[in-house]
């Protein structure tokens, strides 16, 4: 795999920008010529229906009983009405062609604005470890350790495997420290992201390489390292033919996180004992009170001189997630930028929920990159979800970043992280189409 992600060459970018603008203009022209004023009216109705759907979803999340049922019905009915009106007016074909042209315009625009240059961490070839120790959780991911024969494969490559006992709670960090004290020159984990974070903290503390084996359920950390989440076996190739990169670690207090720390609604829901057995039912039961601040603390979030009062949800991540790329939401393009990502959502009404459709320009959405986040509350303690683990910490909670703290060992051949889809900036596309160049995107700071 090439360890850099590159955009299209300049000439191709220029023609992609021209294609994007042409397709967008053709969509507008088709609507104006084929549909006339009636078509423009249907566009306005479609925009209104989208806002109604967003507002109805807010009511569905913050109400119970009959009101929730009616809100769900409204959320479904609004887009159906738009389609029915287009069919009745004989303009369904116009809608479908305009949508197709819009899809072409967006795809070409993303290709034109794709950044040129390396995004993956710098990597160097390294010799195989002499005394690697891998900690494996046989229950993670529905039994991936056994299903893929990870223990046997690792031992055949010279690793010592410590298999966790599902029947007993184990201090994984203590196991990792013991392994280092006994001479381990690499630590690895086959398990979920919470276990990965605990051992990664020990590896960073002792400056020994860390190997990620995606044997958990979601494996978000492995995904952002470009590893194969479907088959964890190729990760073991790093024991014999590996490369090494330095990446960042997040800290919440003195605890390491590799992905994120979540405050607010999600953190409150995952604290419930019923959540593991009935995730959807528990969320639907708790969210009306949590989202409207009838229960739980009122949070305050401070970073980069900005303070947000009473947000419903806060996500602090080890490097920023893609926020503008809805397809790639939940991914990070790099893990070595030396900054935290902050996403805060504050919604006080159905109207402000509809405003979230404006994306990062919505008043209730705050997106930052920063080196420190302080989360306070009107209570002495705050519920937090840290890499999927439910914790309760004393308030206020301070989150920071440790740049380059972790030496991560990776297999040379791996799928990689899909390239980001940049925000479609039509002014930049216009400059690129006309002059062959466009100003670059903004860097650190607020992106609203």
């Amino acid at each position: 795999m090439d360890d850099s992600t590159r955009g299209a060459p300049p000439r191709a970018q220029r023609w992609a920008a021209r294609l994007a603008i042409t397709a967008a203009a053709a969509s507008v022209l088709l609507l104006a010529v084929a549909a006339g004023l009636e078509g423009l009216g249907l566009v306005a109705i479609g925009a209104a229906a989208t806002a109604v759907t967003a507002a109805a979803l807010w009511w569905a999340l913050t109400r119970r009983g009959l009101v929730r049922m009616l809100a769900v019905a409204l959320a479904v009915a609004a887009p159906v009405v738009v389609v029915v009106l287009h069919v009745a007016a004989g303009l369904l074909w116009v809608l479908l062609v305009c949508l197709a042209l819009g899809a072409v315009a967006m795809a070409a625009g993303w290709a034109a604005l794709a950044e040129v240059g390396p995004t993956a961490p710098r990597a160097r070839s390294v010799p195989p470890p002499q005394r690697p120790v891998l900690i494996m959780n046989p229950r993670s991911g529905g039994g991936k350790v056994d299903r893929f024969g990870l223990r046997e494969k690792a031992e055949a490559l010279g690793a010592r495997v410590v298999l966790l006992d599902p029947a007993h709670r184990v201090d994984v960090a203590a196991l990792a420290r013991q392994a280092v004290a006994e001479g381990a020159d690499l630590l690895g984990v086959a398990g979920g992201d919470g276990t990965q974070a605990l051992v990664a903290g020990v590896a960073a503390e002792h400056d020994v390489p860390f190997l990620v084996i995606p044997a958990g359920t979601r494996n978000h950390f492995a995904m952002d390292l470009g590893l194969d989440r479907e088959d964890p076996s190729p990760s073991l190739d790093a024991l014999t033919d590996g490369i090494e990169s330095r990446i960042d670690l997040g800290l919440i207090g003195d605890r390491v996180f590799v992905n994120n720390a979540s405050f607010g609604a999600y953190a409150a829901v995952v604290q419930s004992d019923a959540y593991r057995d009935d995730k959807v039912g528990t969320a639907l039961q708790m969210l009306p009170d949590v989202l409207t601040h009838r229960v739980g603390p009122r949070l305050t979030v401070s970073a980069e001189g900005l303070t947000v009062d009473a947000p419903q949800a806060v996500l602090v991540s080890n490097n920023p997630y893609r926020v503008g790329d809805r397809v790639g939401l939940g991914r990070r393009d790099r893990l070595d930028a030396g900054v935290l990502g902050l996403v805060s959502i504050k919604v006080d009404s159905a109207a402000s929920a509809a405003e979230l459709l404006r994306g990062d320009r919505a008043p209730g959405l705050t997106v930052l990159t920063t080196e420190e986040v302080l989360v306070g509350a009107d209570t002495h303690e705050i519920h937090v979800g840290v890499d999927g683990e439910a914790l309760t910490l004393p308030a206020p909670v301070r989150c920071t970043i440790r740049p380059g703290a972790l030496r991560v060992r990776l297999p040379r051949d791996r799928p990689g992280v899909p390239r980001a889809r940049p925000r479609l900036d039509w002014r930049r596309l216009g400059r690129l189409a006309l002059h062959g160049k466009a100003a670059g995107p903004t860097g650190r700071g607020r992106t609203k």
Side-chain angles (χ1 to χ4, degrees), residues 267-301:
V269 170
V270 298
Q271 293 285 334
S272 171
D273 294 334
Y275 178 74
R276 292 192 180 276
D277 295 327
D278 184 9
K279 291 180 172 59
V280 175
T282 304
L284 290 176
Q285 178 62 31
M286 295 182 64
L287 282 177
D289 293 328
V290 173
L291 293 177
T292 55
H293 299 297
R294 289 194 291 268
V295 299
R298 291 179 66 91
L299 303 177
T300 58
V301 183

Side-chain angles (χ1 to χ4, degrees), residues 192-193 212 214 216-226 229 258-260 321 329-332 335 387:
D193 287 332
V212 176
T217 302
R218 296 179 180 86
N219 302 301
H220 288 161
F221 187 40
M223 174 178 67
D224 294 331
L225 288 170
R229 295 192 298 165
V258 294
N259 292 328
N260 58 65
Y321 285 102
L329 192 65
R331 292 193 180 117
R332 293 164 290 179
L335 293 169
D387 286 338

Side-chain angles (χ1 to χ4, degrees), residues 341-420:
L342 170 64
V343 179
S344 170
I345 299 175
K346 180 178 180 179
V347 180
D348 296 323
S349 64
S352 57
E355 284 188 317
L356 289 178
L357 294 170
R358 295 172 58 189
D360 56 10
R361 292 181 294 274
L365 178 64
T366 300
V367 183
L368 291 173
T369 55
T370 182
E371 295 177 357
E372 181 177 343
V373 177
L374 190 67
V375 181
D378 59 357
T379 57
H380 296 298
E381 294 181 326
I382 304 178
H383 294 319
V384 192
V386 181
D387 286 338
E389 302 292 329
L391 302 176
T392 300
L393 301 176
V397 174
R398 180 172 174 262
C399 299
T400 54
I401 190 81
R402 288 182 60 193
L406 182 65
R407 296 166 56 193
V408 63
R409 188 69 58 91
L410 300 166
R412 192 177 301 275
D413 184 19
R414 59 195 189 280
V417 181
R419 188 165 63 225

Side-chain angles (χ1 to χ4, degrees), residues 45-71:
I45 292 173
T50 303
V52 167
T53 298
L57 290 174
W58 169 254
W59 289 324
L61 291 174
T62 56
R63 301 292 190 273
R64 297 186 179 93
L66 180 61
V67 175
R68 171 176 283 169
M69 295 173 61
L70 293 173

